[in-house]
Amino acid sequence: MTTPPTEGPGLRLIPFRGLRYVPERVGSLAAVTSPPYDVVVRPDGLNALESAEPHNIVRLILPQAATPRERNEQAARTLRDWLAEGILRTDPEPALYVYEQRRGELLQRGVIGALALTPPGDGIVLPHEDVMPEVVADRAGLMRTTAANLEPLLLTYRGEQPDGGAAGVVEAAVARPPLFATTTEDGFSHRLWAVTDPEEIAAVTADLGHRQALIADGHHRWATYLRLQAEQSAPGAWDFGLVLLVDTVRYPLRVRAIHRLLRRLPVAEALAALAPSFRVRRVEGPLPAAMAALGEAAGAGNAFLLAGDGDFHLVTDPDPALIDRTVRHDRPEAWRRLDATVLHATLLDELWRIPDAPEHIAYIHDTEATVAMAERAGGTAVLLHPVHEEVVRDLARQGVTMPRKSTSFGPKPATGLVLRSLD
């Protein structure tokens, strides 16, 4: 399905002077990168990244200190120090950046730039998930104090020009020598090119100027951009935010689920509360086999996989009367049938009575990590099956947001390859 032109203006992506690591001043470019802040598994992954390279970007996106204010001030000091020491350096001229990720047969290419911020009602940038106010406040404090966009959002659009427009500029750029090439521990190779030619920038601008984009990853950061923009008394750099735009006609993204760790709910208690209203049965491991069983069950209706006690428990076939009573009726039927909708409205709110707060629920992208953390904590891992991108985009066009942390699009851009200063 091709995205129709938006009514009136569309996406406005402008060049900026990228802030990048100086390769000669760090151990390797791969060693200073990290996953996005909300994908880093804490504390293990955070500590590993910090200890691997003293200048790893996690010291900016996830500073460690006793209070939020101290964390933000620490990140700002670190950023100033790295600039003064020549660890980071601003590129000499404004550019759009073509970014490539590759692992095996998986290839993703897109354009990084500063995107003009627009309110949701304009229908230019489409969110599809709700956000948590406390996370937006946390990210806003960090961006405000550092005066920087430290990692790009991942946005998708549907291109229509296979050889021209933004797509043509991307393909022309990758035929030239890159600014750098590096391979991270996850096996992904990363390459970056600067696009400074006025004609190429104009081609991107004209192509994107009538398009809309779906937020694939970074809802909290987009909400943060809008919040910080509203704080400004005059137009300026805060009217734009750092993004990576990917044409999913040419480079389809993978869509994965984001799982839940219920820190204080043992598996036995979770299953006991579900038994009267759901079909619960044990399935054989190991984890990939159990996830395959979840995927098969998801094709027939709502399905969840619970783990944390050494076994895997498939939860299916909810009582229709319970769903009708607990899931709101003022949303499209596709939204009412989402696993994330049923999980939050029926299981978490009604049957388990668990508040959606960090001390009770953790949102984790990695399946194995979710199960391992549940087993260590004596809690419950709730594993979900991913939603199709077409469902996400259709709901977003209707202005309907999914429950927060419903999807994980990828591959996500590595954090630390290019930053944007707002000073």
Side-chain angles (χ1 to χ4, degrees):
M1 180 168 58
T2 299
T3 301
T6 57
E7 293 295 332
L11 300 168
R12 182 185 172 209
L13 192 71
I14 67 170
F16 69 103
R17 294 177 64 198
L19 186 61
R20 298 189 294 112
Y21 280 96
V22 178
E24 297 79 14
R25 297 303 309 278
V26 296
S28 73
L29 288 176
V32 296
T33 66
S34 95
Y37 79 98
D38 58 340
V39 181
V40 176
V41 178
R42 289 171 271 185
D44 298 349
L46 178 59
N47 293 336
L49 289 166
E50 281 196 336
S51 60
E53 159 56 67
H55 302 106
N56 189 282
I57 193 68
V58 293
R59 296 183 184 275
L60 299 182
I61 63 171
L62 292 172
Q64 299 193 65
T67 67
R69 179 176 178 177
E70 291 173 337
R71 289 196 292 271
N72 298 335
E73 291 176 347
Q74 177 178 298
R77 284 194 303 271
T78 300
L79 179 57
R80 288 194 299 268
D81 290 345
W82 289 358
L83 286 166
E85 297 166 8
I87 305 300
L88 291 169
R89 183 170 58 205
T90 304
D91 281 341
E93 57 182 319
L96 297 176
Y97 296 87
V98 170
Y99 175 50
E100 176 190 277
Q101 294 167 274
R102 185 192 295 266
R103 185 174 67 184
E105 296 181 354
L106 178 61
L107 174 64
Q108 178 173 290
R109 290 171 177 158
V111 181
I112 295 175
L115 183 68
L117 307 182
T118 54
D122 287 1
I124 295 172
V125 175
L126 304 174
H128 71 268
E129 288 185 354
D130 294 331
V131 297
M132 293 176 275
E134 63 273 14
V135 177
V136 175
D138 174 75
R139 291 294 100 184
L142 181 65
M143 285 191 207
R144 188 186 299 114
T145 308
T146 59
N149 297 154
L150 300 172
E151 46 187 337
L153 281 66
L154 175 60
L155 274 61
T156 73
Y157 71 99
R158 309 286 285 178
E160 299 167 351
Q161 301 184 50
D163 300 312
V169 172
V170 168
E171 300 311 314
V174 300
R176 304 191 288 258
L179 294 174
F180 66 77
T182 190
T183 301
T184 45
E185 285 190 354
D186 58 6
F188 272 98
S189 64
H190 306 263
R191 296 196 295 170
L192 192 77
W193 294 261
V195 175
T196 58
D197 180 83
E199 291 187 3
E200 290 188 324
I201 292 174
V204 174
T205 301
D207 186 12
L208 298 179
H210 66 277
R211 302 198 186 284
Q212 62 183 180
L214 175 73
I215 300 177
D217 184 68
H219 284 82
H220 288 92
R221 283 166 283 162
W222 180 256
T224 300
Y225 288 170
L226 295 176
R227 174 171 174 170
L228 294 175
Q229 180 193 36
E231 295 177 1
Q232 309 308 309
S233 58
W238 296 90
D239 294 321
F240 298 82
L242 184 64
V243 305
L244 165 64
L245 275 164
V246 174
D247 177 1
T248 51
V249 171
R250 294 180 66 87
Y251 300 107
L253 272 65
R254 298 174 303 172
V255 187
R256 294 182 174 178
I258 301 176
H259 311 295
R260 275 65 168 162
L261 167 63
L262 310 182
R263 304 180 190 275
R264 302 178 181 178
L265 181 67
V267 174
E269 292 183 20
L271 295 175
L274 297 179
S277 305
F278 288 80
R279 181 187 180 193
V280 179
R281 63 187 187 276
R282 183 179 176 276
V283 295
E284 294 296 326
L287 181 57
M291 290 300 291
L294 172 64
E296 183 176 348
N302 296 121
F304 311 92
L305 186 67
L306 272 56
D309 61 350
D311 290 322
F312 299 102
H313 310 271
L314 188 62
V315 177
T316 60
D317 302 294
D319 178 1
L322 175 65
I323 300 299
D324 186 68
R325 177 169 60 85
T326 56
V327 177
R328 57 193 295 179
H329 288 264
D330 60 344
R331 297 291 179 93
E333 190 62 24
W335 182 92
R336 300 187 75 247
R337 293 197 303 266
L338 292 171
D339 287 337
T341 298
V342 173
L343 171 60
H344 281 264
T346 306
L347 280 69
L348 291 171
D349 292 350
E350 177 71 16
L351 299 180
W352 291 334
R353 302 296 175 94
I354 296 178
D356 193 355
E359 61 268 27
H360 293 279
I361 304 176
Y363 295 84
I364 304 174
H365 295 71
D366 184 83
T367 308
E368 292 183 1
T370 311
V371 175
M373 294 174 72
E375 291 177 345
R376 287 204 303 264
T380 297
V382 183
L383 308 178
L384 289 87
H385 188 69
V387 182
H388 292 296
E389 181 181 355
E390 293 78 12
V391 174
V392 176
R393 193 177 295 274
D394 184 58
L395 288 173
R397 285 198 181 114
Q398 297 178 59
V400 178
T401 55
M402 301 166 65
R404 48 185 169 261
K405 301 295 184 182
S406 295
T407 58
S408 175
F409 284 83
K412 304 178 190 303
T415 297
L417 297 180
V418 60
L419 292 62
R420 174 176 174 255
S421 173
L422 293 162
D423 284 337

